[in-house]
Amino acid sequence: MTERTTPSRPIIDTEPGAVSIAEQFQNQTLRPILKMLDNSLRTCWIHHWPKRKVRFDRLSKPDKLTQLERAVREDTQLRLTLVGMVLGHFTPEEWSTFTAEEPEITRRMLALLIQRLQSHVNE
């Protein structure tokens, strides 16, 4: 995978020495895209959670974290929307890498999406 910086993406300092292609992709592509999309991802979640008919604002912080993770993993519409927001920012080269390593990169992407959304709980 060639290192390529897209001007609109933030640069993320990560530890060099990523072992796998998926780990390199996570650090060079996914993290900058997720940082760039932070407000949009949060807005998507804020718009989505009232539809689940759960009083999210009344839950304890641990319950909010659990509910958020469950929603991203189990709600197909939400998951596909969030993943689609990220995929839409891939370059053709990144798309090629993604398709070659799709299961592992998707797993990493979902974990990062959940972490990013959970970091905004109680804001």
Side-chain angles (χ1 to χ4, degrees):
M1 185 169 107
T2 53
E3 189 169 336
R4 183 174 171 179
T5 305
T6 305
S8 61
R9 292 184 193 167
I11 296 172
I12 308 289
D13 288 329
T14 57
E15 290 292 320
V19 178
S20 68
I21 291 172
E23 187 176 357
Q24 290 174 12
F25 191 84
Q26 170 185 293
N27 293 335
Q28 295 173 0
T29 303
L30 293 179
R31 288 183 187 278
I33 290 173
L34 290 171
K35 184 171 185 175
M36 179 182 70
L37 291 176
D38 188 57
N39 286 333
S40 297
L41 296 169
R42 189 173 64 202
T43 300
C44 181
W45 168 251
I46 289 169
H47 174 74
H48 177 81
W49 69 259
K51 294 177 184 180
R52 296 195 48 91
K53 302 197 186 322
V54 173
R55 294 301 310 248
F56 192 77
D57 53 330
R58 293 188 181 177
L59 296 174
S60 67
K61 185 173 181 175
D63 289 341
K64 286 179 182 180
L65 297 175
T66 300
Q67 183 66 27
L68 193 149
E69 181 174 2
R70 183 178 299 133
V72 172
R73 293 201 185 278
E74 295 176 5
D75 186 318
T76 304
Q77 181 182 5
L78 175 63
R79 186 177 62 253
L80 291 177
T81 299
L82 294 171
V83 168
M85 290 170 72
V86 176
L87 295 179
H89 289 275
F90 286 1
T91 64
E93 295 84 14
E94 291 166 343
W95 186 258
S96 177
T97 302
F98 171 73
T99 56
E101 301 283 330
E102 188 171 352
E104 178 62 16
I105 292 174
T106 300
R107 184 190 67 75
R108 289 171 181 267
M109 183 187 325
L110 287 175
L112 291 170
L113 278 165
I114 290 166
Q115 289 172 0
R116 183 152 292 274
L117 291 171
Q118 287 177 333
S119 72
H120 294 295
V121 167
N122 288 338
E123 282 187 0

